[in-house]
Amino acid sequence: MNVLPEPPSGGPTDTDPDTDPGVEALLPAPDMNEVVGSRDILLITLDTLRWDIARRCAREGRTPRLTARMPGGRWARRHAPGSFTYASHQAMFAGFLPTPEAPGPHPRLFAARFPGSGTTAPGTFVYDAPDLVTGLAARGYRTVCVGGVGFFTGRGPLGSVLPGLFGESRWEPSFGVASPDSTRAQVDHALDVLDDTPADRRLFLFLNVSALHQPNWFHLPGGTPGDGDGPESHAAALAYADGHLGRLLDGFVRRGRPCFAIVCSDHGTAYGEDGHVGHRIGHPVVWTVPYTHFFLDPPEEP
């Protein structure tokens, strides 16, 4: 049965080391002006992933491949820039990644050049373009989108806005929310992109993982549509995705170019907390999201 093992409110309001601002201190603070141009950049959004479930899966050892890469093996707890996929990704592609929950200001990794920005710092990569994707393309990056949920299908005007930012985009039904093996198909394609990109070509790869989004009941053993979605199927979907994402991270290491990787959620979702189901609402389970970033470097030659 898909039941919530947390208190009725379901909000991530407990106090423990994972909610401590000290987790942010574990994240590297790179000068993005040095990163851009010298490293590939990988952005993975785990669409709809809740902070509390990401944290629990990491603690229980259900996401060993992601946890092994995260500084300290822990997610940073942040606030999403939007409450649903379209709004949140528009913000992230403009340089507004999930924000640390402690009081700021918090310098950003990327920012469009505009006067009066209070979060553009010396280590921020500033671009003269309306979005990060275009800014990276201007620096010689091959920009590739591997879509997942409906806003990345390239079907219809609305489904084409976000993938249209990229030089190349790919979506097929096997990548989408209704596919029980979506992450495998997405990662297989992403690995083909790596194989097809010359080692001396800079790459910005974006992957929108659809497995966490509803429906996710089929990630539970023996799950049926009548069981519906819930925290347990959400957690099972994350555990499933972890195995395939590990293949992608390893692929970047094998590629031989250093890489800077960002892995985060765009928003959470409600499974009955305070009577809410879904997202596009202002509730702690929606706006509180997991975030991490780290370096992927090729092995040193003996």
Side-chain angles (χ1 to χ4, degrees):
M1 184 178 181
N2 245 325
V3 295
L4 184 70
E6 302 285 343
S9 68
T13 57
D14 53 353
T15 55
D16 60 39
D18 282 328
T19 66
D20 191 293
V23 178
E24 290 287 342
L26 298 176
L27 297 176
D31 184 336
M32 295 305 296
N33 297 293
E34 297 179 359
V35 168
V36 173
S38 67
R39 290 179 174 268
D40 289 340
I41 299 175
L42 170 65
L43 172 59
I44 299 174
T45 55
L46 295 160
D47 205 290
T48 316
L49 176 59
R50 287 172 48 145
W51 148 261
D52 54 347
I53 292 174
R55 176 193 58 186
R56 189 197 334 151
C57 285
R59 285 174 167 177
E60 294 174 354
R62 299 178 67 182
T63 52
R65 295 156 189 87
L66 285 173
T67 303
R69 300 288 185 181
M70 295 189 296
R74 292 151 65 187
W75 291 102
R77 173 172 154 170
R78 292 196 171 190
H79 288 166
S83 63
F84 69 109
T85 300
Y86 186 79
S88 194
H89 282 84
Q90 282 281 22
M92 286 193 277
F93 291 149
F96 298 95
L97 295 167
T99 305
E101 66 171 2
H106 299 288
R108 289 185 287 140
L109 299 179
F110 312 100
R113 190 183 310 278
F114 69 97
S117 172
T119 53
T120 299
T124 302
F125 169 63
V126 179
Y127 48 88
D128 292 295
D131 59 84
L132 172 63
V133 186
T134 305
L136 291 176
R139 292 292 300 269
Y141 279 80
R142 179 187 184 189
T143 62
V144 182
C145 168
V146 180
V149 306
F151 291 111
F152 293 98
T153 62
R155 298 185 173 183
L158 184 58
S160 301
V161 172
L162 295 173
L165 298 174
F166 292 79
E168 304 166 51
S169 65
R170 176 72 181 274
W171 184 89
E172 58 187 51
S174 64
F175 298 176
V177 297
S179 171
D181 206 11
S182 58
T183 312
R184 179 199 59 77
Q186 290 180 297
V187 168
D188 283 350
H189 180 70
L191 290 173
D192 288 342
V193 171
L194 294 188
D195 290 341
D196 187 49
T197 306
D200 60 353
R201 179 76 189 274
R202 301 165 184 168
L203 175 65
F204 173 44
L205 178 68
F206 166 71
L207 170 62
N208 174 248
V209 175
S210 64
L212 287 301
H213 197 281
Q214 71 267 19
N216 54 46
W217 56 265
F218 40 69
H219 289 290
L220 280 177
T224 68
D227 296 327
D229 302 332
E232 294 307 321
S233 57
H234 193 100
L238 177 59
Y240 153 77
D242 177 78
H244 293 293
L245 293 174
R247 294 195 292 126
L248 179 58
L249 299 177
D250 290 344
F252 268 93
V253 172
R254 291 193 305 270
R255 176 166 146 75
R257 280 185 60 89
C259 175
F260 179 67
I262 301 167
V263 185
C264 63
S265 174
D266 57 340
H267 59 81
T269 198
Y271 291 115
E273 292 83 3
D274 299 316
H276 295 289
V277 175
H279 36 275
R280 205 163 49 82
I281 55 173
H283 192 282
V285 296
V286 174
W287 73 59
T288 312
V289 295
Y291 173 94
T292 191
H293 65 235
F294 46 83
F295 294 110
L296 295 169
D297 290 308
E300 296 183 3
E301 295 184 3

